[in-house]
Amino acid sequence: MAEYFVFDIAESLLRKLASFVCEEASRVCEVYEDIKGIKDTLSIVKGVLLDAEHKKEQRHGLREWIRQIQTVCLDAEDVLDGLECQNLRKQVLKASDSTRMKVAHFFSSSNSLVFRFRMAHQIKHVRRRLDKIAADGNKFGLERIDVDNRLVQRREVTYSHVDASGVIGRESDREEIIKLLMQPHPHGDGCGDESVCVIPIVGIGGLGKTTLAKLVFNDKRMDDLFQLKMWVCISDDFDIRQILIKIINSVSASDPAPTIALAHQENIKNFDIEQLQIVLKLKLSGQKYFLVLDDIWNDNRAKWIELKDLIKVGAVGSKILVTTRSNSIASMMGTVPSYVLEGLSMENCYALFNKWAFKEGEEKAYSNLVEIGKEIVKKCRGVPLAVRTLGSSLFLVFDLERWEFVRDHEIWNIKQNKDDILPALKLSYDQMPSCLRHIFAFFSLYPKDYGFCSAEILILWESLGLLQSLGGNRKLENIARQYIDELHARSFLEDFEDFGHYYYFKVHDLVHDLALFVGKEEHLMVNSFTRYIPEQIRYLSVVENDSLNYVLFPKSSRVRTILFPLKGTAVESKTLLHTWTTRYKHLRFLDLSDSSFDTLPSSIAKLKHLRTLFLDKCKIKRLPHFLCKLHNLQILSLRGCMELETLPKSLGMLISLRKLYITTKQSILPENEFASLRNLHTLSFEYCPNLKLLFRKEQLALLEVLIIQSCRSLEFLPLHVLPKLEVLIVSRCEMLNLNYGSPIHRLRMKFLHIEHCPKLHTLPQWIEGSVETLRTLLILNCHTLKMFPEWITTMSGLKRLHIVNCPKLLCLPGEMHSLTALDDLTIEGCPELCRKCEPKNGEFWSFIAHIKRVSIGETRKGKLLVRMLQQMRLRLRDQ
């Protein structure tokens, strides 16, 4: 059964109903009493919704009643959005001196008389529907519960992707696999027809096959045994060409010169299999390699033989480690007997559960809960993922009834398939507050094994109005981070890496299955297997281009999101785009990235509810003026639009704009238009080759994030006109002189990322103005950087310092011990400095020994940071 998120949606709608804009507009439209009636009825209904969610499986018809409430709430939200749109339009008209614009407004459908009549009709209709549905709910005898208290106090978030000391019960499994890898092939290292040994790990989902493979992959003995190590996740799609690209890129990722690696990744994306085979042979020939193929689902033997023939070009002794859930696939691929991974012992399960349910040693004070925990663990069938998620859901919960509720829940009695752990995950999911369950469903719009960068999922949630404070913090970016930390604390996220302003994570395959399960009523990921889209779907993603040729898109106007999460997928049909923009009038999020259109259909101007528009890498030369009529637009992305000659003159009419990402050929910006963007929070200039100046006089009063990337003509940064700047990212700006101008005494900078700035010999003095506020400092690929100034040790709040690929940096300031808040230090690609910072033996080790997490030399975190930034650039430069 699909899930509904009606409590969260009702809360959001009530906030809209209570807003000043809604109240004023309702008086103008003479529907104040109707709005008040909707608010009163919804307040009563909301009071019983939590009880309804608890009882929906026991009471016949209750699930359908919840669905009807959710539908009418979302429809009401669309109507109220129309009121807000009209208010924004009036603000623009008031600020404009254009007689032409005012005359056009008089004859448009937004004219006050026409608008008031239409809105009155729609609001009265919503009220009648809600009143009827609310009356129907009386028969269920629901109890009033006003507050959703399903919260968790978060443990400290860890950063290591696989900490061997934190993995319980897999030590002997790791040693057995390593023994197999160290043994010669049973038929001799020549192997006859088998030139590479394939070792399968087989087991049910959630057992920890991938974790075990990671433990082996990262074991130092593997570095001594093999010349090359490669990791490739396969998942559902066994596409030979894509697998070869992943293998080649995995080799290239270890390239010490990231610029070369980046260019290499760009070059091979359009290669055919014959060309890829040649590149692969060059990479692997004569090399004894270790390749992990993680999460295999393909049972087509012909495909496997084709791939194996292409990759058996390494030296004698090369090994492939495969993980799969299928015994038949393991037998098909393996050249040695499969390693069958068993469930954890009960003793190890208890230890794992206690680790996630209690603080260290805390379980001794709660013997009654420990006993109930043992009964819960028995239901998890030895599956670590199930044990961990349930333990996390009970962290710092000491209410006996809550533990008994988990133990005795009827979900355990549902008929399950063999080795099914979805009930355990679903039970953990049910413990989350409504707002978290709502945002979690949107992971179903992305394919399995998708690597999430924080900015993209934040934009989606923000566009749909899903970010609500869990504790008084109103800044959207912080609320999103709070949500992510909650999900991570509950073990719903993995491979989590924190870089300060941005962070990276994945969701486990089984957790992704759960997202598909709970989101299937309104969320759909369209692929080549999709033939029909149900009318109730509101949120769509497309992951395969071919699927657009035959999919029957719904005629309902309720679709709110159209997303293309994978690079290279895009809408190319103007007819289809016109259908979308005329049919789906309530769109909030529209992604047209990678499209080959050089013009946009005028029907986009009618999307008055639109919050986010992605036009990345489109061929557009000029943006149409009607785009500036989208007064609700909060996020506009023009990244990689290399043909874009100029920004529209009426850019300032986008008065709701919070985030603006620009690629343009302009050399000078229209300062007045930017100054009109009073809500602008994030501004990015990427691949603007002619841009010489940003701003000189006009202040961007609320701007908090500034990103400057690959602007080769830019000479200086006007930090004096950015009084609230907290995040600055500067990358690949060859002419930029970061030391330009006099030092600024007071800055609010919290995050600073400097990358590939050839003129940088030491850190600019203006950074000292953020001595009290700077939390994260990332320095990457600055090949001329020779020293850190002594004043860096006065950064009392600095928590994270990453120095990657700065080969001329030879020393650290002597007072590094003064950085008492610093708990995360990474130094990589700085040969001499790395040598001096070697643990215990290096001459600088005493300076940094107090830091909690120190990574010196080749680190996964440094590589991941470089790779993540490379991928961001690849998305823009793939023209």
Side-chain angles (χ1 to χ4, degrees), residues 494-682:
E494 62 180 12
D495 290 354
F496 192 96
E497 294 289 357
D498 188 356
F499 299 105
H501 175 63
Y502 38 78
Y503 36 97
Y504 173 93
F505 61 89
K506 292 185 177 183
V507 297
H508 190 282
D509 280 0
L510 289 172
V511 175
H512 186 270
D513 289 342
L514 176 64
L516 290 171
F517 176 78
V518 301
K520 62 186 177 184
E521 181 72 18
E522 294 186 332
H523 306 71
L524 182 66
M525 182 173 64
V526 178
N527 56 31
S528 57
F529 299 104
T530 308
R531 292 293 184 275
Y532 167 71
I533 300 177
E535 289 294 308
Q536 73 272 15
I537 294 296
R538 292 179 188 265
Y539 312 102
L540 285 168
S541 70
V542 182
V543 295
E544 293 180 29
N545 277 333
D546 293 344
S547 61
L548 292 174
N549 296 332
Y550 47 73
V551 166
L552 183 62
F553 283 87
K555 293 182 179 178
S556 164
S557 64
R558 290 173 175 170
V559 172
R560 291 186 170 199
T561 295
I562 299 178
L563 168 70
F564 289 83
L566 296 182
K567 183 180 69 174
T569 56
V571 56
E572 296 293 353
S573 166
K574 287 189 176 182
T575 303
L576 181 58
L577 178 57
H578 179 73
T579 299
W580 287 352
T581 53
T582 53
R583 181 181 295 174
Y584 305 140
K585 298 182 183 298
H586 302 296
L587 274 173
R588 264 64 167 185
F589 186 107
L590 179 58
D591 185 357
L592 301 181
S593 298
D594 287 296
S595 301
S596 58
F597 307 135
D598 53 9
T599 58
L600 295 176
S602 58
S603 51
I604 287 181
K606 302 291 185 182
L607 299 178
K608 62 182 181 180
H609 301 273
L610 197 63
R611 301 306 201 270
T612 293
L613 178 60
F614 275 91
L615 297 171
D616 295 358
K617 296 190 293 179
C618 287
K619 308 299 182 184
I620 298 171
K621 292 186 177 182
R622 288 182 176 271
L623 289 174
H625 174 73
F626 62 70
L627 205 64
C628 298
K629 295 180 180 180
L630 299 174
H631 305 312
N632 248 324
L633 197 67
Q634 296 174 1
I635 298 150
L636 175 61
S637 183
L638 307 167
R639 289 181 293 193
C641 293
M642 306 304 243
E643 303 300 318
L644 187 63
E645 296 174 354
T646 182
L647 298 172
K649 292 181 179 179
S650 302
L651 187 70
M653 289 171 59
L654 296 174
I655 59 174
S656 299
L657 208 60
R658 290 191 76 248
K659 298 180 180 179
L660 178 58
Y661 303 88
I662 297 171
T663 296
T664 178
K665 293 182 177 181
Q666 283 174 268
S667 59
I668 299 176
L669 298 171
E671 281 197 55
N672 292 338
E673 295 297 327
F674 279 89
S676 299
L677 302 175
R678 300 296 183 185
N679 294 305
L680 198 61
H681 170 276
T682 299

Side-chain angles (χ1 to χ4, degrees), residues 342-512:
E342 303 290 348
L344 290 181
S345 67
M346 279 299 108
E347 182 181 356
N348 283 326
C349 282
Y350 298 151
L352 182 63
F353 182 86
N354 287 340
K355 175 183 175 181
W356 287 93
F358 300 101
K359 291 182 177 179
E360 187 174 356
E362 192 177 50
E363 69 274 12
K364 296 173 184 176
Y366 297 96
S367 57
N368 58 337
L369 298 183
V370 169
E371 291 305 312
I372 296 174
K374 288 181 178 180
E375 296 179 62
I376 293 172
V377 164
K378 288 176 184 176
K379 298 173 184 283
C380 293
R381 307 180 180 190
V383 179
L385 181 62
V387 173
R388 196 173 69 236
T389 53
L390 279 174
S392 297
S393 74
L394 294 168
F395 180 63
L396 291 187
V397 175
F398 305 115
D399 179 9
L400 183 64
E401 288 186 7
R402 178 84 172 274
W403 284 63
E404 290 174 337
F405 171 80
V406 172
R407 180 194 63 190
D408 301 331
H409 199 284
E410 66 173 15
I411 200 167
W412 299 115
N413 301 322
I414 296 174
K415 186 177 179 180
Q416 301 171 34
N417 297 322
K418 185 177 182 292
D419 303 323
D420 186 7
I421 73 159
L422 190 59
L425 298 181
K426 178 64 165 60
L427 195 48
S428 298
Y429 167 87
D430 287 340
Q431 304 303 304
M432 295 197 295
S434 182
C435 55
L436 279 184
R437 287 185 286 123
H438 196 179
I439 59 109
F440 173 78
F442 285 85
F443 289 131
S444 66
L445 296 179
Y446 298 83
K448 286 186 177 180
D449 199 52
Y450 188 84
F452 290 90
C453 187
S454 53
E456 60 185 321
I457 195 70
L458 187 158
I459 285 174
L460 180 61
W461 292 343
E462 180 181 342
S463 305
L464 299 169
L466 302 178
L467 299 177
Q468 302 172 24
S469 175
L470 294 182
N473 188 342
R474 302 310 304 171
K475 190 179 286 190
L476 294 179
E477 288 70 22
N478 291 347
I479 296 169
R481 180 57 194 259
Q482 192 176 0
Y483 282 10
I484 291 294
D485 285 346
E486 286 275 2
L487 290 171
H488 187 208
R490 295 170 184 271
S491 300
F492 278 88
L493 308 180
E494 62 180 12
D495 290 354
F496 192 96
E497 294 289 357
D498 188 356
F499 299 105
H501 175 63
Y502 38 78
Y503 36 97
Y504 173 93
F505 61 89
K506 292 185 177 183
V507 297
H508 190 282
D509 280 0
L510 289 172
V511 175
H512 186 270

Side-chain angles (χ1 to χ4, degrees), residues 663-666 686-691 710-714:
T663 296
T664 178
K665 293 182 177 181
Q666 283 174 268
E686 304 177 38
Y687 294 94
C688 302
N690 304 320
L691 191 61
S710 298
C711 297
R712 64 189 182 208
S713 301
L714 191 66

Side-chain angles (χ1 to χ4, degrees), residues 204-337:
I204 64 169
L207 271 185
K209 299 182 294 297
T210 299
T211 299
L212 175 58
K214 286 179 181 178
L215 285 173
V216 172
F217 189 82
N218 289 296
D219 193 286
K220 291 186 181 300
R221 287 170 285 182
M222 297 299 97
D223 297 327
D224 299 330
L225 190 60
F226 299 101
Q227 294 166 293
L228 279 179
K229 294 195 308 179
M230 298 162 288
W231 182 285
V232 175
C233 181
I234 307 296
S235 280
D236 297 343
D237 187 16
F238 199 88
D239 183 298
I240 301 290
R241 183 175 169 279
Q242 290 302 319
I243 293 171
L244 291 180
I245 290 173
K246 287 181 179 180
I247 293 172
I248 293 168
N249 285 342
S250 184
V251 177
S252 301
S254 60
D255 195 318
T259 307
I260 296 173
L262 174 63
H264 178 77
Q265 290 186 36
E266 286 183 320
N267 289 338
I268 67 170
K269 76 177 186 71
N270 293 318
F271 281 15
D272 59 27
I273 288 182
E274 181 62 31
Q275 292 169 310
L276 290 170
Q277 180 189 6
I278 294 170
V279 174
L280 186 68
K281 191 171 183 178
L282 288 171
K283 295 279 186 182
L284 301 186
S285 184
Q287 301 283 328
K288 184 180 176 184
Y289 69 76
F290 175 36
L291 170 63
V292 176
L293 298 177
D294 184 40
D295 196 21
I296 302 287
W297 289 82
N298 168 65
D299 58 0
N300 185 323
R301 186 167 180 267
K303 279 191 172 184
W304 162 238
I305 291 173
E306 182 184 356
L307 177 64
K308 186 172 67 171
D309 287 344
L310 291 170
I311 61 179
K312 60 181 185 184
V313 293
V316 170
S318 296
K319 301 283 171 68
I320 298 175
L321 186 64
V322 170
T323 71
T324 180
R325 298 186 200 177
S326 166
N327 282 302
S328 61
I329 291 173
S331 299
M332 175 186 78
M333 298 181 69
T335 59
V336 299

Side-chain angles (χ1 to χ4, degrees), residues 693-697 706 714 716-722 744:
L693 298 171
L694 292 183
F695 312 105
R696 286 170 289 187
K697 298 177 181 179
L706 178 62
L714 191 66
F716 73 97
L717 295 177
L719 298 179
H720 61 284
V721 300
L722 307 171
I744 298 170

